[in-house]
């Protein structure tokens, strides 16, 4: 199974809800990440059921936020597309141990408009209890 999540806003929260629920564990997950965020931050937009992307940098989540979320639930980062801001994660039980902990490959594009409202992101490493799980 391949799950692709690309809603342009609540992507982190959608994948998180599926992981926490635990009833659907696809082999591969593709997510839309924010290439304008530094690769060392674990940020996402706050969940909002009515939010829509407005074309600014205020969208989805950082690659590291997804990597930490996936890792907490048994997924390993595999690859990031160069032409777009999509990352792929594979269920750990399907991989050889040599394929665990691959380095993140961030494609920084600065392709979105500046967020003139300077809305804050949520640092999930500090505020998401789901990330406190262990491998």
């Amino acid at each position: 199974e391949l799950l692709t999540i690309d809603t342009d806003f609540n992507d982190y929260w959608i994948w998180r809800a599926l992981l926490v629920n635990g009833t659907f564990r696809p082999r591969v997950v593709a997510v839309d990440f924010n290439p304008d965020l530094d690769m060392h931050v674990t940020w996402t937009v706050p969940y909002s059921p009515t939010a829509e992307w407005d074309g600014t940098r205020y969208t989805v989540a950082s690659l590291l936020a997804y990597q930490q979320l996936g890792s907490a639930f048994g997924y390993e980062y595999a690859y990031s597309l160069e032409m777009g801001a999509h990352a792929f994660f594979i269920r750990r039980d399907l991989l050889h141990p040599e394929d665990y902990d691959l380095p993140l490959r961030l494609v920084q594009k600065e392709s979105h408009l500046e967020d003139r409202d300077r809305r804050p992101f949520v640092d999930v490493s500090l505020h998401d209890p789901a990330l406190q799980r262990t491998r």
Side-chain angles (χ1 to χ4, degrees):
E1 315 82 37
L2 167 65
L3 170 65
T4 300
I5 304 171
D6 189 354
T7 67
D8 293 331
F9 199 85
N10 287 313
D11 300 27
Y12 176 92
W13 301 108
I14 292 168
W15 191 24
R16 182 189 184 281
L18 290 169
L19 290 168
V20 169
N21 178 277
T23 57
F24 179 55
R25 293 193 34 85
R27 295 170 184 258
V28 179
V29 177
V31 294
D32 184 27
F33 71 91
N34 187 332
D36 296 318
L37 297 178
D38 187 274
M39 84 180 298
H40 303 292
V41 299
T42 52
W43 294 352
T44 185
V45 292
Y47 176 75
S48 173
T50 60
E52 292 183 22
W53 183 46
D54 60 5
T56 70
R57 294 180 183 154
Y58 194 69
T59 185
V60 293
S62 67
L63 184 55
L64 184 58
Y66 285 119
Q67 184 273 330
Q68 289 187 3
L69 178 65
S71 180
F73 288 88
Y75 284 84
E76 291 288 333
Y77 166 80
Y79 188 74
S80 302
L81 292 178
E82 290 181 27
M83 298 291 293
H86 295 87
F88 296 83
F89 295 84
I90 300 173
R91 239 179 35 216
R92 190 175 295 120
D93 63 299
L94 302 173
L95 295 172
H96 188 279
E98 291 179 6
D99 294 321
Y100 295 176
D101 300 316
L102 294 176
L104 295 182
R105 182 176 177 204
L106 182 62
V107 181
Q108 279 198 297
K109 298 193 317 186
E110 295 194 18
S111 57
H112 302 119
L113 300 172
E114 180 182 343
D115 178 25
R116 293 177 189 237
D117 296 332
R118 301 184 188 267
R119 294 167 285 185
F121 286 88
V122 174
D123 187 339
V124 294
S125 67
L126 300 174
H127 302 289
D128 187 352
L131 296 184
Q132 306 313 314
R133 296 169 53 103
T134 60
R135 285 188 176 180

